[in-house]
Amino acid sequence: MGRVRDGLRFGLPFVAAVLTAAGVVPGCSSDLPVASHLERARVLGARVQLAGDDTRRASVLPGESALVEWLVAGPTDPGAFPWMFATCIAIDGACVDAPGAPTAGAGVPVLAPFTTPDASALSEPRVPLMAGTLAGIDAARFVIPVQAPGDAPNHRPNLANDAVLLNGTPWGATDTAPAPGASCDATSGLLTITARASSGADPSDAEKLPIRLITDADDRESFVAPGAAALALEELQVSSLSTAGAFDSTYAEISATDLRPDADAVMTWGPPSFTAVPPGGLVVQFHIVVRDGRGGLDWIHRSLCALAR
């Protein structure tokens, strides 16, 4: 994904250029920046969003209309940035036809509608590809997962009912949490932590805190991989980012061989230094993004209050 530095140049020619030049945002690995600290607003992922009874289906049928939902986050509220997306049929990431009429909007949520081409237009290796720009943030592309009629659908993980623990303490979502970067205190309704005492760039092991995601049965499905004969359990890739402090690693994994119904992933996070936390406290927001390796993606957010010493 390349950052758009000159604002959004609306119009189909520019979107067409993005369709041939921007980085792909697949629903699997390696589409997040390596750094776990959100030093600027970024596109963190994309997924199909369907209406009706099967809202967790991760792929579309030929001819079906749906939305692509783009996850955008940064160290503060990204504001009402303009965005534009269009869709084409592509082979190996390059369009083989002209993109359709673009759709535009402003701010979050970023929901770009599309209609999947008919099956006759999607013979292997032709796939639908959405691309566009988010002004001042990113240019991005997403290969839209398509399932053949009659195939068992893949459903994305469902993180909304999963448990998250911060240093062993249950950590629930807070719908009324202040925006990241805002001031906070012990009355803000958030879990609180104390900024680390060391002023260096890297926290010591003793200052780091574990963040544990506990999955359940509706996060993974069994499937038969192409060319395989036996059922296998999905593997989950867990990506973690925060608006302050830093994770030891951006990625964690729940292996396909981990058959526990409550399989977990543990990420280690170093709080910000006291030099980075104002006297009035600092709201730190976390984004946990989970991919199932087959186009399924879900995300959750958590916030805490970092207090100065």
Side-chain angles (χ1 to χ4, degrees):
M1 294 178 290
R3 190 175 183 186
V4 180
R5 300 183 184 278
D6 300 320
L8 186 65
R9 292 167 285 174
F10 280 115
L12 193 55
F14 180 58
V15 175
V18 173
L19 280 160
T20 59
V24 175
V25 180
C28 53
S29 63
S30 72
D31 61 321
L32 282 179
V34 173
S36 66
H37 174 218
L38 282 173
E39 79 293 344
R40 66 171 181 87
R42 306 179 194 168
V43 174
L44 304 185
R47 67 185 182 188
V48 166
Q49 187 70 270
L50 290 153
D53 296 332
D54 204 7
T55 56
R56 285 185 49 231
R57 178 155 52 90
S59 54
V60 292
L61 294 165
E64 188 171 32
S65 295
L67 303 166
V68 171
E69 181 179 11
W70 300 82
L71 172 59
V72 180
T76 59
D77 184 345
F81 58 91
W83 50 263
M84 175 181 283
F85 288 95
T87 306
C88 74
I89 295 174
I91 297 176
D92 294 331
C95 290
V96 295
D97 70 348
T103 182
V108 294
V110 181
L111 297 168
F114 70 95
T115 297
T116 313
D118 293 336
S120 59
L122 294 176
S123 56
E124 183 71 26
R126 298 158 66 93
V127 296
L129 177 69
M130 179 178 284
T133 59
L134 304 94
I137 298 176
D138 275 322
R141 300 189 299 171
F142 174 65
V143 175
I144 297 169
V146 179
Q147 69 180 70
D151 284 357
N154 176 39
H155 293 88
R156 66 174 181 250
N158 180 28
L159 303 186
N161 58 3
D162 289 352
V164 183
L165 283 73
L166 172 66
N167 200 29
T169 299
W171 191 14
T174 306
D175 294 336
T176 59
S183 300
C184 61
D185 57 29
T187 68
S188 300
L190 305 176
L191 288 182
T192 61
I193 59 104
T194 303
R196 57 185 172 88
S198 60
S199 58
D202 298 319
S204 68
D205 288 342
E207 294 171 314
K208 297 176 183 178
L209 301 174
I211 296 174
R212 183 184 179 206
L213 171 69
I214 306 174
T215 65
D216 58 21
D218 61 2
D219 292 316
R220 294 192 288 170
E221 294 177 315
S222 296
F223 70 105
V224 179
L231 283 170
L233 195 60
E234 290 174 329
E235 178 177 282
L236 298 182
Q237 182 193 72
V238 183
S239 305
S240 305
L241 299 98
S242 62
T243 58
F247 285 88
D248 278 358
S249 174
T250 304
Y251 300 112
E253 179 184 284
I254 296 177
S255 170
T257 60
D258 188 339
L259 305 181
R260 295 175 298 159
D262 56 351
D264 63 342
V266 178
M267 295 73 71
T268 304
W269 177 73
S273 168
F274 71 94
T275 59
V277 175
L282 179 70
V283 175
V284 182
Q285 189 174 56
F286 295 74
H287 307 279
I288 300 175
V289 183
V290 175
R291 294 163 171 79
D292 65 12
R294 300 196 295 142
L297 178 148
D298 197 18
W299 53 66
I300 52 175
H301 315 286
R302 292 291 187 271
S303 295
L304 60 75
C305 178
L307 300 175
R309 289 180 177 270

